[in-house]
Amino acid sequence: MRAAASHSSASVPPTTPTSPLGLGARPGVGWRRRRRRGSYGGGGICREVRQRRRGESRALWSEPEGEAGGARGWASSLNARMDNRFATAFVIACVLSLISTIYMAASIGTDFWYEYRSPVQENSSDLNKSIWTDFASDEADEKTYNDALFRFNGTMGLWRRCITIPQNTYWYSPPERTESFDVVTKCMSFTLNEQFMEKFVDPGNHNSGIDLLRTYLWRCQFLLPFVSLGLMCFGAVIGFCACICRSLYPTIATGILHLLAGLCTLGSVSCYVAGIELLHQKLELPENVSGEFGWSFCLACVSAPLQFMASALFIWAAHTNRKEYTLMKAYRVA
């Protein structure tokens, strides 16, 4: 019995319970290689873990990239909206500037700043002939041509004065007036000497002293419109250069020039109104004669607010665009 037991125990090889192979054989080099290659599942688990970590890292990297892309898209769309808004303001300001320039040029070149309404003098008496002759003379003083303007439906501009007289004159008593009564308009231009001539306290009386207020008002009323027109033209040149450079920064200078032009136009209109009122205080209008401001004066009055609006749009577009550009630049740097 002891021999059989010893023989059976000797024939059964000892086992190692801690061995992963379940037998007593020790793992060799091949087992280690197979374990590295994942034949027993350890390599597959590690691969899954690595892939999972890679996916999480990719997701973590993709989130900032998506946020950055969204921020870039938002910034580009905001920049496009800002550019459209500023471009619209710039175009509107250019249109207003063009209209005001046309109005100002038309008011300077026409003779209807002030109009007088009086009964038409149909006869050709000696008095009327002398008035017409004095009106057309180069040496006509302020009282002489104003008397003609009062009597013969005169109109006065910045550079010319006009009267309406009968086309056919008679030395005898004129025939009865018909509806086909013809009249002609005769105009005389103010020379530079007349524009800079001193105005007297009593018009027509050279011994009454110089009226400095009316003198400078008269000089300003024809100089300021030309200054206004020149400023607008110079501003248009700067705006054209801004369009070529594709920048709104030079439009600040254009807006300032339009602001000065509007002030000059407003000053010209004010000087003209003050000069007319002072003249009518010196020379009262005859009976049945009325005076009113003409459409040339109205064009100048309309031109001034158009210049102010164009100036405001130019300055707003340039200043706001620069501010928004600074904010966008700071946001991109941040």
Side-chain angles (χ1 to χ4, degrees), residues 74-141:
W74 175 80
S76 61
S77 62
L78 181 60
N79 194 13
R81 287 197 300 269
M82 288 190 299
D83 291 341
N84 293 333
R85 185 176 58 184
F86 299 145
T88 303
F90 184 79
V91 171
I92 294 174
C94 290
V95 172
L96 293 177
S97 175
L98 179 62
I99 295 174
S100 63
T101 303
I102 294 174
Y103 283 0
M104 200 65 214
S107 65
I108 292 174
T110 52
D111 310 319
F112 298 93
W113 280 67
Y114 202 84
E115 302 177 0
Y116 294 99
R117 295 286 181 266
S118 59
V120 178
Q121 303 293 328
E122 301 178 13
N123 59 350
S124 179
S125 62
D126 294 338
L127 177 60
N128 292 337
K129 279 185 171 294
S130 64
I131 293 176
W132 299 342
T133 303
D134 294 337
F135 177 81
S137 176
D138 294 335
E139 299 179 355
D141 57 7

Side-chain angles (χ1 to χ4, degrees), residues 4-233:
S6 60
H7 179 74
S8 61
S9 61
S11 62
V12 178
T15 58
T16 305
T18 58
S19 175
L21 299 178
L23 298 176
R26 296 179 62 184
V29 178
W31 177 83
R32 293 177 181 175
R33 291 180 180 177
R34 287 195 300 271
R35 186 175 181 182
R36 291 178 182 176
R37 292 176 184 176
S39 59
Y40 290 94
I45 295 174
C46 294
R47 186 180 298 110
E48 291 179 1
V49 172
R50 286 196 298 270
Q51 290 178 356
R52 188 179 302 171
R53 290 178 179 176
R54 290 176 183 175
E56 291 176 356
S57 63
R58 290 176 181 175
L60 291 175
W61 280 104
S62 63
E63 288 180 0
E65 290 179 356
E67 293 178 358
R72 286 194 295 269
W74 175 80
S76 61
S77 62
L78 181 60
N79 194 13
R81 287 197 300 269
M82 288 190 299
D83 291 341
N84 293 333
R85 185 176 58 184
F86 299 145
T88 303
F90 184 79
V91 171
I92 294 174
C94 290
V95 172
L96 293 177
S97 175
L98 179 62
I99 295 174
S100 63
T101 303
I102 294 174
Y103 283 0
M104 200 65 214
S107 65
I108 292 174
T110 52
D111 310 319
F112 298 93
W113 280 67
Y114 202 84
E115 302 177 0
Y116 294 99
R117 295 286 181 266
S118 59
V120 178
Q121 303 293 328
E122 301 178 13
N123 59 350
S124 179
S125 62
D126 294 338
L127 177 60
N128 292 337
K129 279 185 171 294
S130 64
I131 293 176
W132 299 342
T133 303
D134 294 337
F135 177 81
S137 176
D138 294 335
E139 299 179 355
D141 57 7
E142 186 180 16
K143 187 176 186 306
T144 301
Y145 66 75
N146 275 292
D147 288 339
L149 292 174
F150 295 161
R151 292 172 61 87
F152 298 101
N153 287 323
T155 59
M156 187 167 59
L158 297 179
W159 285 88
R160 290 204 310 174
R161 56 185 186 270
C162 302
I163 57 173
T164 302
I165 60 175
Q167 183 176 8
N168 299 320
T169 58
Y170 302 92
W171 290 103
Y172 55 90
S173 140
E176 294 182 1
R177 179 178 176 178
T178 61
E179 294 185 1
S180 61
F181 183 74
D182 296 329
V183 293
V184 293
T185 302
K186 290 189 176 182
C187 298
M188 289 295 297
S189 299
F190 291 106
T191 63
L192 289 177
N193 292 329
E194 291 176 343
Q195 294 285 15
F196 289 96
M197 187 180 295
E198 294 84 0
K199 304 297 180 182
F200 300 100
V201 176
D202 186 9
N205 186 4
H206 296 264
N207 297 323
S208 60
I210 299 175
D211 192 344
L212 293 178
L213 178 59
R214 292 201 309 118
T215 300
Y216 287 108
L217 287 175
W218 179 272
R219 293 174 182 177
C220 291
Q221 75 183 14
F222 84 92
L223 284 177
L224 289 179
F226 289 98
V227 175
S228 174
L229 196 61
L231 289 173
M232 285 190 293
C233 293

Side-chain angles (χ1 to χ4, degrees), residues 89-95 97 235 239 248 251-252 254-256 258 307 309-319:
F90 184 79
V91 171
I92 294 174
C94 290
V95 172
S97 175
L248 288 176
T251 55
I252 296 179
T254 304
I256 294 174
H258 278 73
Q307 292 167 355
M309 287 189 290
S311 173
L313 287 175
F314 279 130
I315 295 176
W316 174 83
H319 179 71

